[in-house]
Amino acid sequence: MIVPHFQTLALPGDSNTTASNLLDRIDLLRLEATQKLQQNQRGEKGQFLTPSSVASLMAGMFEFKCPDISLLDAGAGIGSLIAAVVCELCQRQNKPQTLQVTAYEIDIILIDYLKQTLELCRIECQNSGIIFTSQICKIDFIQESAEMLNPNLFTNSKKLEFTNAIINPPYAKIPAKSQVRTWLRSIGVETGNLYTGFTVAAAKLLKPNGELVSITPRSCCNGLYFRDFRKVFLQMMALRQIHIFESRQEIFRDDAVLQETIIIRATKQIEKPDTVTITSSTSADDELILSHSLRYDELVNPSDSEQFIRILPDSISQKIVERMAQFTCTLADLMLTVSTGKVVDFRVCSDLRLEAETGTVPLIYPAHFSAGCVQYPTTTKKHQALAVTDKTARLLVPNEHYVLSKRVSSKEEKKRIVAVVWDANKIKYSQVGFENHLNYFHQQGRGLNLTLARGLAVYLNSSLVDAFFRLFNGNTQVNATDLRNLKYPSLEQLLLLGSEVGEIFPAQQEIDELVEKKLFIW
């Protein structure tokens, strides 16, 4: 076992520890622990230790209405969140009488640091007149919660209940046939990532009206992948506050985490409040925090079968949503479909060709996108042609007009949805292959009317659609499901837009002017 060194930190029993410097000491501990963790295993385990600024922001979101607080930290790491709660409570005018902490951690290296943190927390609470007790559970939190919530199914484990839970859950995928999946199914949730599993399990262990504060990727708010999680979580919990960050890089800068991150505060109750507080800042230590209220049914529409959590950070965002609400057509209404490109290049390696030759068809990648159109061939290291064989024939589509869009587009790019027109008139082949990093719009497997394709591409590339999509999509991906859930103008409106576009696709300013003129000014 690695023995940590604490030269820069207060040793147990140091009475000089105060609420004003406790978090600084714990943050040094966090940096030291991070260096000792094996970097390759951190990604596998989803270990991203919480900086003190983030921990303080999270702890400050609690109301702490009970005189006797029982606090759960599932996946405690070195205890940064617990220390932040202690600092918050010790500085409040109405302090609790007792604070009982239950911390789950299975990493031996982190447990040594966690013990040190809990001792420092005990000293600080003692100085403030709060009775502090703690226990470290050296067992997998998902396993333990499944056993407590299903005593007849597993063991006779006594169920613990908590007034408060604060978590920075691990971010890692769960294999479909793993024991963790089985444990999670036993508590009523089907999910493929540890962070949503931890969140549901922690919520289920709360007492009625108990509070949960968690920091997670924003990706759980939308999309098919986390639909079951949202339904389970939102049924038993009422959202009270959501904090969003304008910058991805600043939150976990020491770990180079680029996932868009949010903090959620929710209470365990079926009845929902009228409004939810939405706050935002550039980073966790930003002194300027913007705040506004959003109606609960605007955040989570009761009639939405997907139960998307639609976070609107300000009044401008609300206006964007109001504008988009004027479009009511689904792709099904337009008799259109969007699918993911069928060609997964590494699965057809032997049939890939660097350039066109006899017996091949074009293979289109995002690298071929250029100013609203497709430039083929282009300068790229990608294979630009696919041999037509018995194996590849089913992966091809008729060479007709389509709209293509990128599947991967990071938040920091100028546009989240990047769409182009595939004009079949420009390339003389009977078939074409679309690579798996593309989505393509079609009509039951066949192409679109060219004018319709141009109008659809204009709409998708508009600043309005881009702003709307950024509000609700925290992923780096733009999947076919996301595009299916988008609302569209009518067929007549799309054709009207398309009629204004010729061989040269319009620039961004012209696109936005066309959308404004043809779709909003009548």
Side-chain angles (χ1 to χ4, degrees):
M1 178 181 295
I2 298 175
V3 179
H5 301 283
F6 302 109
Q7 292 93 333
T8 57
L9 297 172
L11 294 172
D14 186 350
S15 60
N16 293 322
T17 305
T18 65
S20 61
N21 66 18
L22 174 59
L23 279 184
D24 290 338
R25 294 167 181 259
I26 302 303
D27 218 31
L28 291 174
L29 199 61
R30 175 183 66 87
L31 295 174
E32 183 177 327
T34 298
Q35 294 300 315
K36 292 182 182 292
L37 293 172
Q38 295 185 24
Q39 298 303 309
N40 61 333
Q41 292 185 0
R42 290 182 63 213
E44 294 176 6
K45 295 179 179 180
Q47 293 175 316
F48 301 103
L49 305 184
T50 315
S52 60
S53 56
V54 177
S56 293
L57 180 61
M58 294 173 66
M61 292 170 68
F62 281 116
E63 290 188 351
F64 291 124
K65 293 182 178 180
C66 302
D68 298 297
I69 295 173
S70 51
L71 178 70
L72 166 67
D73 187 347
I78 67 159
S80 298
L81 293 174
I82 298 167
V85 168
V86 167
C87 287
E88 178 68 26
L89 290 174
C90 289
Q91 295 180 82
R92 289 197 177 188
Q93 184 174 359
N94 297 320
K95 297 178 177 62
Q97 297 175 9
T98 65
L99 171 59
Q100 181 180 357
V101 171
T102 301
Y104 283 84
E105 183 53 59
I106 58 175
D107 193 300
I108 295 175
I109 295 175
L110 296 180
I111 288 173
D112 280 350
Y113 288 92
L114 178 58
K115 289 176 181 178
Q116 176 74 5
T117 298
L118 291 174
E119 177 60 16
L120 293 173
C121 288
R122 183 194 66 79
I123 295 169
E124 181 54 39
C125 283
Q126 179 178 298
N127 293 340
S128 297
I130 301 172
I131 300 173
F132 178 90
T133 58
S134 65
Q135 63 172 329
I136 299 175
C137 300
K138 304 174 187 178
I139 187 173
D140 187 291
F141 173 67
I142 299 298
Q143 176 185 354
E144 179 86 334
S145 59
E147 292 176 354
M148 287 191 289
L149 294 166
N150 297 280
N152 296 327
L153 183 60
F154 294 102
T155 67
N156 291 320
S157 297
K158 181 180 178 181
K159 179 183 177 182
L160 299 176
E161 287 190 312
F162 303 92
T163 61
N164 298 81
I166 187 166
I167 60 172
N168 173 11
Y171 180 86
K173 290 185 177 180
I174 308 170
K177 296 182 180 180
S178 68
Q179 182 61 51
V180 176
R181 280 283 185 111
T182 303
W183 289 329
L184 287 171
R185 290 189 190 107
S186 75
I187 65 172
V189 64
E190 183 68 50
T191 184
N193 202 295
L194 279 176
Y195 84 87
T196 45
F198 268 63
T199 304
V200 167
K204 285 182 174 287
L205 293 175
L206 285 174
K207 294 180 178 180
N209 298 313
E211 292 181 284
L212 168 72
V213 173
S214 65
I215 182 166
T216 68
R218 186 174 173 174
S219 54
C220 63
C221 293
N222 67 295
L224 179 64
Y225 191 64
F226 295 108
R227 180 174 59 187
D228 191 57
F229 158 75
R230 290 191 300 272
K231 290 183 176 181
V232 172
F233 183 78
L234 294 173
Q235 183 178 19
M236 65 176 166
M237 301 294 291
L239 297 170
R240 294 288 183 172
Q241 180 181 350
I242 298 178
H243 187 90
I244 58 178
F245 298 99
E246 295 177 13
S247 171
R248 290 186 187 190
Q249 291 90 342
E250 288 297 314
I251 310 310
F252 293 95
R253 73 185 80 176
D254 299 325
D255 298 306
V257 174
L258 295 182
Q259 267 281 359
E260 189 172 356
T261 306
I262 59 173
I263 300 173
I264 290 177
R265 180 174 77 88
T267 53
K268 192 168 185 178
Q269 61 183 94
I270 301 226
E271 184 181 354
K272 311 306 179 191
D274 294 331
T275 61
V276 181
T277 300
I278 308 296
T279 54
S280 62
S281 62
T282 300
S283 62
D285 51 9
D286 190 352
E287 294 183 359
L288 178 62
I289 296 181
L290 303 178
S291 176
H292 79 287
S293 293
L294 186 66
R295 285 206 331 262
Y296 200 98
D297 59 3
E298 290 180 324
L299 182 70
V300 182
N301 188 333
S303 62
D304 179 12
S305 61
E306 300 291 330
Q307 289 291 276
F308 282 2
I309 301 173
R310 302 182 180 276
I311 307 170
L312 305 181
D314 48 41
S315 58
I316 295 176
S317 302
Q318 289 176 305
K319 291 179 181 178
I320 291 171
V321 171
E322 290 170 1
R323 285 213 123 193
M324 285 293 292
Q326 298 184 47
F327 305 130
T328 59
C329 291
T330 64
L331 286 178
D333 294 332
L334 300 171
M335 300 183 69
L336 300 180
T337 307
V338 60
S339 302
T340 301
K342 298 179 181 180
V343 181
V344 181
D345 53 11
F346 66 84
R347 293 177 180 169
V348 290
C349 291
S350 61
D351 297 311
L352 296 176
R353 303 291 184 268
L354 286 173
E355 55 188 34
E357 59 185 57
T358 303
T360 67
V361 298
L363 178 58
I364 306 303
Y365 286 85
H368 292 104
F369 285 25
S370 178
C373 302
V374 174
Q375 181 178 338
Y376 183 86
T378 191
T379 303
T380 178
K381 295 180 180 179
K382 298 286 188 182
H383 292 81
Q384 300 191 64
L386 184 67
V388 181
T389 65
D390 292 340
K391 181 179 179 180
T392 63
R394 60 185 177 81
L395 306 177
L396 307 178
V397 298
N399 184 26
E400 298 172 348
H401 310 305
Y402 302 94
V403 172
L404 313 180
S405 71
K406 290 184 180 181
R407 281 189 58 207
V408 179
S409 177
S410 69
K411 186 184 179 186
E412 282 69 29
E413 288 189 25
K414 289 184 178 180
K415 299 293 294 295
R416 294 300 300 279
I417 299 179
V418 180
V420 300
V421 176
W422 171 263
D423 187 341
N425 296 328
K426 295 182 178 181
I427 300 177
K428 304 301 181 182
Y429 285 86
S430 61
Q431 292 178 300
V432 62
F434 296 136
E435 197 269 335
N436 193 245
H437 286 84
L438 299 181
N439 298 307
Y440 67 103
F441 290 81
H442 56 96
Q443 289 182 309
Q444 297 181 340
R446 302 306 297 259
L448 312 180
N449 170 281
L450 182 57
T451 302
L452 175 59
R454 289 170 173 171
L456 179 58
V458 166
Y459 174 70
L460 290 171
N461 282 308
S462 68
S463 295
L464 176 62
V465 170
D466 180 65
F468 180 81
F469 194 78
R470 284 174 182 271
L471 288 175
F472 306 128
N473 186 285
N475 295 321
T476 57
Q477 296 196 15
V478 181
N479 293 315
T481 301
D482 299 317
L483 297 172
R484 291 188 197 104
N485 287 318
L486 201 62
K487 292 299 176 67
Y488 295 82
S490 67
L491 183 61
E492 293 76 12
Q493 290 174 311
L494 290 174
L495 288 170
L496 189 61
L497 278 179
S499 66
E500 299 290 325
V501 178
E503 294 291 316
I504 300 176
F505 201 77
Q508 189 62 55
Q509 182 176 347
E510 188 180 351
I511 287 173
D512 294 335
E513 289 173 353
L514 277 174
V515 168
E516 182 68 22
K517 179 180 178 181
K518 299 299 181 181
L519 301 185
F520 292 105
I521 300 176
W522 295 92

